[in-house]
Amino acid sequence: MVRSSIQQISDTQEWDLRDLYAGFDDPQFEEDLRNLQQRASAFREQYRGNVAQLSPVQVADCLRELESIHQKSGYLYAFPALKFAADTRDSEAHQFEDKVMEALTQVDNQLLFFDLELQAIAETSFNELQQSSELKNYRHYLDRIAEVRPHTLTEEVEQTRNRDLLTGREAFVKLRSVHLGEQEYDPVTTPDGKTADTEAELSALLFHPDADTRLNAYQSVRRVLKQHNSLYGYILNAVTQDHRIESQMRSYKSTLHKQLVADEVSEPVFRAIMDGMQSRFDLFHRYYRLKGKALGQKIRICDIYAPWTTETEPPIDYQTGVTTLLEALEQFDVNYARRAEEFFLNNWVDAKVRPGKRGGAFCAYFHGKHSYLLMSYTEDYTSLFTLAHEMGHGLHFDWIDRQQSYFNSNPPLVLAEVASTFNELLLLDHLLNQAGDDAKLRRALITRQLEDQLSLLFRQSTISRLELMLHDRAEESSFDRQFVNDTWMDLYRKLCGDSVELLDEHQYDWARIGHVFFKPFYCYQYTASTLVSLACYQKYREVGKDFVPGYLELLASGSQWNQVEALRHFVDVDLEDTATIQNALEYVRGLLNQLEQTL
């Protein structure tokens, strides 16, 4: 059972950042920043131009020094960034964040030479480094350097590229964010007299039980996107063309190839994921037909998050939510749950709802210390699942921190999302067991999970399908807003079939998707990680406790292994086998079967 010490959880629900610094006036903050700059300068002075002559032992010493510098950089960035996330009105935090970012960019540019000189070493000599026992801990790191060797530019060009991004592609990305953030929306008033006029509030109304309220909220946001459709189309084309130019500069076959190399995913795996999702649109159709039947209407695109019933779920307060989550994790593994408990006892979680707090949720990990979790807990099951998700990230990084050095501590996204989704599945099964024969609660729990999974599997892969078409078009010529609008609608018609009615305004919806601007082909990784999580959870259900040691070793492996090999080795999940994709989707079909039993 959960220990009584959980009663010590702070009622403030705010994180304590003193593990980093006591405050912006902490003299250690400025001292660490100066020291970091000095260390980077000294490292450059000692080793620049000499890397090819270093022995394996000396290279290992250099890598350890670089790890220490990067670790300290993380702490310096973390403090102002976390302070600002907790209160975006904190101008001091914003100023310190900008100051630190500028200083750390300079530090990174000072150190850029090392990897470039490693990549320039003759192939035979580099192979000897890869095989040396002194560098065993860095073998995958060196493998990754070898993989990008053909695509690396000179140090001067790389430095220029880093600087130009700030005023080039990244400036366009930021322009879209700033412009979208400054928009005003037509207010929508709910039947009970409450008015919403911000994007966040209007998006929340898509969960409202009143159909007209959902439609009005949906149209209010898309009306703004339509008004600025030309601007957002121009920005997306500019960003896409910049990726094309960079891919050509670096001798990648395409922007997709550039991103897949960074993601450590082969193109056959990517294509298998895309094809696998497209072959099972029937699961998406089946769910929304069931939902439409329950609501007595055909589901419109503005209704996909509509509640199944007008009855509200019972609230679940923070203390109860934390206890419930820890009980679910304890059934999996007691040590896993005990480590999760430390996050609450040590105030590493900021869950309080307050003005000025950054929206959404995240887990921020800092090697050599621990993770901090941010969310706004609103005493409902959605918040509880968000807490479970972010705690999965926190626990994943905790296991990494126990075994890996800095350069092996950042798993690719496919692996990085496994523990978070796995945690949600553990919580879902625990809550379903608690619900017993309560059909209404079981339906509420299952539908929430199904809608999350359908979004991650089918919507996210549809976004990447849009990107495929945009980047393919960019290889031939530029594109305009109408090309994006038409392509997006065609893809969604295929996804929705006759189960969901598309509104005309949906053609502008792509502009809300930050990832198509921030980083190409980011979204398919959500699909891939969900498939892997479902595959892992099925294995756990099949073999029980015998699954736990291998799973925890998978988490602890960080980025020390190629992720496809790690999945095969630790948990017997083969992402290169198309059967893995289809078997994972059987879990979704099983949830649909359970849902039908509650109707």
Side-chain angles (χ1 to χ4, degrees):
M1 296 297 291
V2 176
R3 293 180 296 182
S4 59
S5 59
I6 202 62
Q7 299 299 324
Q8 300 171 23
I9 293 175
S10 171
D11 290 335
T12 63
Q13 301 175 30
E14 296 182 59
W15 53 28
D16 183 347
L17 302 181
R18 286 177 297 177
D19 279 359
L20 296 168
Y21 297 100
F24 291 118
D25 58 353
D26 185 342
Q28 191 65 47
F29 187 89
E30 291 292 345
E31 183 179 336
D32 284 349
L33 187 57
R34 283 193 301 272
N35 179 257
L36 192 71
Q37 293 166 323
Q38 291 168 0
R39 289 173 67 185
S41 179
F43 185 90
R44 180 180 179 86
E45 184 177 344
Q46 181 174 0
Y47 294 109
R48 188 171 185 267
N50 302 318
V51 175
Q53 285 74 50
L54 299 178
S55 69
V57 172
Q58 290 172 314
V59 171
D61 288 340
C62 286
L63 290 174
R64 282 190 286 270
E65 172 65 3
L66 288 172
E67 286 183 311
S68 177
I69 290 173
H70 288 309
Q71 185 183 70
K72 184 63 72 174
S73 295
Y75 302 160
L76 285 162
Y77 172 74
F79 188 72
L82 294 178
K83 293 282 283 186
F84 185 67
D87 183 2
T88 58
R89 300 169 304 178
D90 187 340
S91 58
E92 184 181 31
H94 193 184
Q95 291 168 2
F96 266 86
E97 185 178 18
D98 288 346
K99 173 185 176 180
V100 169
M101 279 297 294
E102 182 178 352
L104 295 185
T105 298
Q106 293 173 359
V107 167
D108 286 343
N109 274 345
Q110 289 265 61
L111 303 174
L112 193 58
F113 78 91
F114 189 81
D115 280 1
L116 296 177
E117 290 191 27
L118 274 181
Q119 291 165 3
I121 292 175
E123 187 172 352
T124 301
S125 299
F126 192 85
N127 290 341
E128 291 175 2
L129 287 178
Q130 288 177 284
Q131 299 306 316
S132 69
S133 58
E134 293 87 353
L135 290 165
K136 180 180 180 181
N137 185 54
Y138 299 105
R139 188 155 297 162
H140 184 58
Y141 178 82
L142 294 172
D143 290 345
R144 294 289 293 151
I145 287 179
E147 193 170 6
V148 300
R149 287 176 84 182
H151 312 294
T152 302
L153 307 173
T154 65
E155 181 184 14
E156 183 178 358
V157 175
E158 290 284 1
Q159 289 178 335
T160 301
R161 184 69 188 165
N162 282 346
R163 289 193 296 265
D164 287 351
L165 282 175
L166 298 176
T167 54
R169 186 170 76 211
E170 296 303 324
F172 274 111
V173 171
K174 195 162 189 177
L175 171 63
R176 174 257 177 195
S177 298
V178 170
H179 186 269
L180 193 57
E182 290 179 344
Q183 298 311 302
E184 295 183 357
Y185 301 88
D186 293 337
V188 172
T189 302
T190 63
D192 59 357
K194 296 180 180 178
T195 299
D197 60 3
T198 67
E199 195 276 338
E201 292 171 327
L202 291 165
S203 294
L205 288 184
L206 297 180
F207 296 84
H208 198 279
D210 180 65
D212 288 339
T213 298
R214 294 194 297 271
L215 176 61
N216 293 335
Y218 183 91
Q219 290 178 329
S220 177
V221 172
R222 277 77 190 168
R223 199 172 292 123
V224 168
L225 300 180
K226 178 181 180 181
Q227 179 183 356
H228 302 293
N229 186 230
S230 179
L231 173 63
Y232 298 144
Y234 179 86
I235 292 172
L236 185 56
N237 176 65
V239 169
T240 303
Q241 295 295 339
D242 188 82
H243 279 294
R244 175 185 62 81
I245 292 169
E246 183 180 14
S247 298
Q248 292 173 347
M249 288 174 63
R250 297 185 181 281
S251 301
Y252 287 104
K253 292 183 291 185
S254 64
T255 299
L256 174 65
H257 179 218
K258 172 167 70 84
Q259 197 54 51
L260 291 179
V261 169
D263 297 341
E264 298 186 54
V265 173
S266 68
E267 186 163 342
V269 168
F270 171 81
R271 299 290 179 181
I273 291 169
M274 292 293 104
D275 294 344
M277 295 306 98
Q278 196 160 9
S279 72
R280 294 309 309 268
F281 282 174
D282 62 291
L283 297 172
F284 190 92
H285 300 162
R286 181 183 170 193
Y287 175 79
Y288 284 106
R289 288 194 193 103
L290 285 172
K291 188 168 188 175
K293 185 177 180 181
L295 295 181
Q297 65 173 73
K298 183 171 183 177
I299 297 294
R300 304 165 296 178
I301 192 67
C302 62
D303 300 320
I304 60 174
Y305 301 119
W308 279 64
T309 176
T310 57
E311 298 177 11
T312 58
E313 296 175 0
I316 180 164
D317 64 73
Y318 186 65
Q319 289 274 354
T320 303
V322 169
T323 301
T324 302
L325 173 59
L326 293 177
E327 288 172 349
L329 300 183
E330 192 169 50
Q331 290 177 5
F332 175 69
D333 181 71
V334 65
N335 291 323
Y336 193 69
R338 291 290 74 77
R339 188 54 180 164
E341 188 178 32
E342 300 240 343
F343 278 75
F344 303 107
L345 296 176
N346 293 316
N347 294 323
W348 298 339
V349 181
D350 194 303
K352 187 175 182 178
V353 179
R354 59 177 176 272
K357 188 173 185 178
R358 204 199 90 162
F362 65 74
C363 167
Y365 163 60
F366 306 103
H367 186 267
K369 290 190 182 292
H370 52 78
S371 298
Y372 289 96
L373 312 184
L374 179 137
M375 64 169 296
S376 295
Y377 192 90
T378 52
E379 300 198 345
D380 51 36
Y381 283 95
T382 298
S383 290
L384 179 53
F385 275 95
T386 299
L387 181 61
H389 182 99
E390 300 306 333
M391 181 59 73
H393 287 305
L395 291 169
H396 188 175
F397 288 124
D398 180 72
W399 254 258
I400 288 174
D401 208 68
R402 297 168 186 231
Q403 292 195 25
Q404 303 299 343
S405 64
Y406 181 91
F407 284 142
N408 290 329
S409 68
N410 188 28
L413 185 62
V414 172
L415 282 187
E417 292 291 330
V418 168
S420 54
T421 303
F422 195 91
N423 262 23
E424 291 189 58
L425 299 175
L426 289 170
L427 177 63
L428 176 64
D429 273 356
H430 180 65
L431 290 172
L432 287 175
N433 288 335
Q434 286 186 331
D437 296 328
D438 186 339
K440 291 180 181 178
L441 181 55
R442 293 181 68 84
R443 181 167 60 246
L445 293 168
I446 292 170
T447 55
R448 176 182 287 101
Q449 193 64 27
L450 269 170
E451 290 184 3
D452 282 349
Q453 289 178 5
L454 292 174
S455 176
L456 289 165
L457 293 169
F458 297 110
R459 183 173 184 272
Q460 298 293 342
S461 58
T462 297
I463 294 169
S464 286
R465 205 167 278 114
L466 169 70
E467 292 181 285
L468 275 174
M469 301 184 78
L470 295 180
H471 287 282
D472 284 349
R473 176 63 175 264
E475 293 293 326
E476 304 169 4
S477 65
S478 62
F479 55 79
D480 60 14
R481 59 176 177 171
Q482 199 58 51
F483 178 77
V484 189
N485 296 346
D486 293 344
T487 304
W488 182 241
M489 285 294 275
D490 287 344
L491 291 170
Y492 246 82
R493 287 189 190 101
K494 293 174 183 175
L495 171 62
C496 294
D498 63 359
S499 64
V500 176
E501 176 188 344
L502 284 179
L503 302 174
D504 185 62
E505 293 89 346
H506 191 68
Q507 66 181 296
Y508 312 112
D509 200 62
W510 54 267
R512 297 181 63 246
I513 305 167
H515 286 316
V516 301
F517 296 90
F518 301 154
K519 183 179 179 181
F521 300 105
Y522 190 90
C523 293
Y524 85 89
Q525 295 178 90
Y526 286 124
T527 302
S529 64
T530 301
L531 290 169
V532 169
S533 299
L534 293 175
C536 286
Y537 201 69
Q538 285 178 309
K539 290 279 185 183
Y540 169 56
R541 282 181 157 184
E542 289 170 12
V543 304
K545 293 290 187 180
D546 289 343
F547 174 82
V548 175
Y551 176 75
L552 295 179
E553 285 187 65
L554 174 69
L555 299 189
S557 67
S559 54
Q560 190 177 31
W561 290 59
N562 171 279
Q563 60 185 342
V564 173
E565 294 174 4
L567 285 165
R568 250 193 234 113
H569 178 80
F570 293 115
V571 292
D572 193 26
V573 169
D574 189 351
L575 195 54
E576 294 183 327
D577 186 350
T578 56
T580 298
I581 296 173
Q582 295 303 325
N583 291 339
L585 292 172
E586 283 301 297
Y587 178 88
V588 179
R589 190 177 69 85
L591 282 184
L592 282 166
N593 292 341
Q594 289 189 59
L595 174 61
E596 285 187 319
Q597 294 170 10
T598 70
L599 300 177

